[in-house]
Amino acid sequence: VANNGWRPLTEIELKMKEINAANPEVGDIRFNEFDGDIALMVTGGGGGSIAFDTLLNEGVHPATTFDITNGEIEDKVCEATKLILSKPGLKGLLAGANFSNFFPVDHKVKGIVRALKELNVDGHSFPVVMRFCGPKQEEARQLAETVPGIEFYDESVSIEQAARRICELVKQGVK
């Protein structure tokens, strides 16, 4: 029986496994779905944990966790983002990482931005906060700016601050 250790996999978790298996040589996805409001696509265990706890401390519940290892991941991130955004009742998206030493952050942002554009989602109708730092972060910022209303932050803003910001936008009802 396919499970994630404590319960059977959800339909979205099963579909994410299919996305991951379609190209096993490129980035490994780790994903969980929860009954929450804000999707987390924050890579790196520490950053993901900080974002998760910050949402809870702000009285908002995480809808997902998502991590992906490095590689030519744009296509996989795009498909994963589209699947995550298909989750009913989702009110916002926080994407980011504490830091990336060895892999350009624009690869993740390219996939997310492509998915947002394909789904006709902008930051004015659906809050999206990105927080990335590392190689090619300025290119990542420029990519994010091609989708109206997305808020993009670099290392001058912590993951915790970015998580508070998405909570603020969701609580304000930016939709």
Side-chain angles (χ1 to χ4, degrees), residues 116-132:
L116 293 170
K117 288 180 175 181
E118 287 177 14
L119 296 172
N120 293 314
V121 173
D122 65 52
H124 297 303
S125 60
F126 181 83
V128 177
V129 172
M130 293 186 180
R131 193 279 187 190
F132 285 98

Side-chain angles (χ1 to χ4, degrees), residues 20 23-30 41-45 66-77 96-109 132-135:
N20 195 38
N23 192 348
E25 293 83 33
V26 176
D28 184 45
I29 295 173
R30 291 173 296 279
M41 293 183 71
V42 181
T43 58
F66 174 90
D67 194 5
I68 189 166
T69 58
N70 291 333
E72 295 299 318
I73 58 173
E74 179 186 342
D75 290 337
K76 201 175 257 193
V77 169
N98 254 350
F99 56 87
S100 178
N101 286 330
F102 308 109
F103 194 75
V105 297
D106 65 328
H107 287 265
K108 291 176 186 166
V109 174
F132 285 98
C133 74

